[in-house]
Amino acid sequence: MNKHRKLCLWSWLRAGLLCALVAAPPAQAQDAASLKARHVALREALASNAFQRPLWLESKENAGDLKGDIYVRLDRPFAAVGPALDEVEHWCDILILHINVKQCRATPAKTGDTLSLVVGRKVDQPVAEAYAVEFAFQVVADRADYLQVSLNADEGPLGTSRYRIVLEVVALDAGRSFLHLSYSYAYGLAARVAMQGYLATIGRDKVGFSVVGRQADGQPVYIGSTRGVVERNTMRYYLAIEAYLGALAAPLPQQLDKRLNDWHSAVERYPLQLHELDRAEYLSLKRAEIRRQRALGG
């Protein structure tokens, strides 16, 4: 593997994109009733948590599978949220906000919608030095009060497999919705070695959001290692969805800049976990990537 692609892989692992775009067991809630029941079960956690908002984040690792889940109550009606997330083209506007997504192309087709991603480092780089992964996009359920969509890829680089994103949203009442976003993937020996290398070097001080202990002065000790990677990326991708939804009310010519600025502002609320680039660096990088994408017809 050449130096550029090895750096790309480590950057991908660092950002947790492998953890965000990969598959495992089905999501916990599979229909409107189950997701509403999960909302009730999380009532106390949503009311009082470190995020100071109605949001709950959790992660799991089991025998080569990594999984992250985020649950959040939105002060937005399902009538606005559902239609914004049920079209494959809308997902490129969401995914491109991630610092490591270099390019996204949506292809609606009778044989099945696809999302073609190119993922790389947190710098401007040639697409040829990054990784291409193609996801099948499926609307699993689309009803008046419930939406579920999934993105799946069977294979990824260095022995990763069963990539999956599952998003589901249910109406709670006329003005509120409850959203669940799930990420999971399976990894083999090569990916494990690459991840161990990252965690032993540039990723050794990175942490997630779950508190696993307290220091002598009472300060929290946050989870690290692979579950920390999953948790960071779970939050990044939820914040991309939030930024996308928040920009829809702006005039169309202003929506892209609003999405980019809102995503950066959102991740900077959690600098310990999510800070990577200053705003000017991030905006310059993303605008260049989006111009390149548009020039290719994406």
Side-chain angles (χ1 to χ4, degrees):
M1 180 185 299
N2 67 40
K3 178 180 179 181
H4 289 299
R5 289 180 68 80
K6 185 173 182 180
L7 286 172
C8 172
L9 175 67
W10 279 25
S11 188
W12 191 358
L13 291 169
R14 173 197 53 74
L17 189 60
L18 289 175
C19 307
L21 300 177
V22 252
Q28 181 169 357
Q30 290 294 306
D31 54 38
S34 296
L35 191 53
K36 286 183 176 179
R38 185 66 169 150
H39 175 253
V40 172
L42 288 174
R43 181 172 295 166
E44 292 186 7
L46 295 172
S48 177
N49 57 68
F51 300 110
Q52 298 184 333
R53 58 191 303 189
L55 183 150
W56 181 251
L57 175 64
E58 59 193 27
S59 61
K60 299 177 183 177
E61 182 173 15
N62 181 36
D65 291 325
L66 278 166
K67 186 170 184 285
D69 291 278
I70 194 165
Y71 297 87
V72 58
R73 187 170 62 238
L74 305 174
D75 289 329
R76 299 180 184 275
F78 180 85
V81 176
L85 300 175
D86 67 357
E87 296 289 341
V88 65
E89 295 93 338
H90 299 170
W91 279 82
C92 274
D93 291 335
I94 295 169
L95 297 175
I96 197 65
L97 299 178
H98 193 292
I99 197 170
N100 290 90
V101 176
K102 320 309 289 180
Q103 186 173 299
C104 178
R105 179 172 295 182
T107 307
K110 291 182 180 179
T111 55
D113 298 339
T114 60
L115 277 168
S116 301
L117 295 188
V118 177
V119 184
R121 299 164 60 197
K122 62 176 182 179
V123 297
D124 193 12
Q125 69 177 137
V127 170
E129 294 177 2
Y131 286 96
V133 184
E134 187 167 285
F135 295 87
F137 178 90
Q138 181 183 12
V139 178
V140 179
D142 191 358
R143 301 196 292 272
D145 66 342
Y146 177 74
L147 170 72
Q148 184 180 140
V149 300
S150 67
L151 287 77
N152 297 276
D154 292 335
E155 297 180 357
L158 287 182
T160 55
S161 62
R162 302 198 307 274
Y163 289 53
R164 194 179 193 192
I165 302 175
V166 176
L167 176 137
E168 51 180 354
V169 190
V170 67
L172 294 177
D173 52 41
R176 301 182 306 161
S177 307
F178 188 54
L179 180 149
H180 171 215
L181 187 66
S182 176
Y183 301 91
S184 56
Y185 80 103
Y187 58 90
L189 178 60
R192 183 191 298 274
V193 170
M195 178 67 81
Q196 289 173 345
Y198 159 70
L199 292 171
T201 54
I202 58 177
R204 62 183 178 273
D205 296 324
K206 294 285 188 177
V207 296
F209 293 90
S210 293
V211 176
V212 294
R214 294 282 173 179
Q215 299 178 17
D217 61 0
Q219 293 299 308
V221 176
Y222 295 103
I223 196 164
S225 192
T226 50
R227 284 182 56 195
V229 172
V230 174
E231 293 189 358
R232 291 194 298 276
N233 202 58
T234 301
M235 181 60 79
R236 284 189 180 102
Y237 270 83
Y238 167 67
L239 294 176
I241 292 171
E242 184 179 79
Y244 174 77
L245 293 173
L248 293 176
L252 186 60
Q254 300 174 21
Q255 288 184 13
L256 174 58
D257 275 353
K258 181 169 174 56
R259 288 196 296 268
L260 292 171
N261 276 284
D262 286 357
W263 186 86
H264 190 270
S265 295
V267 299
E268 288 301 305
R269 292 201 298 264
Y270 312 103
L272 179 63
Q273 290 87 1
L274 302 183
H275 174 76
E276 296 292 344
L277 296 179
D278 293 338
R279 184 181 300 272
E281 295 174 305
Y282 171 75
L283 293 177
S284 176
L285 174 67
K286 283 298 159 186
R287 286 167 179 160
E289 291 170 350
I290 291 168
R291 283 195 300 270
R292 180 174 60 194
Q293 178 172 295
R294 289 176 172 174
L296 295 173

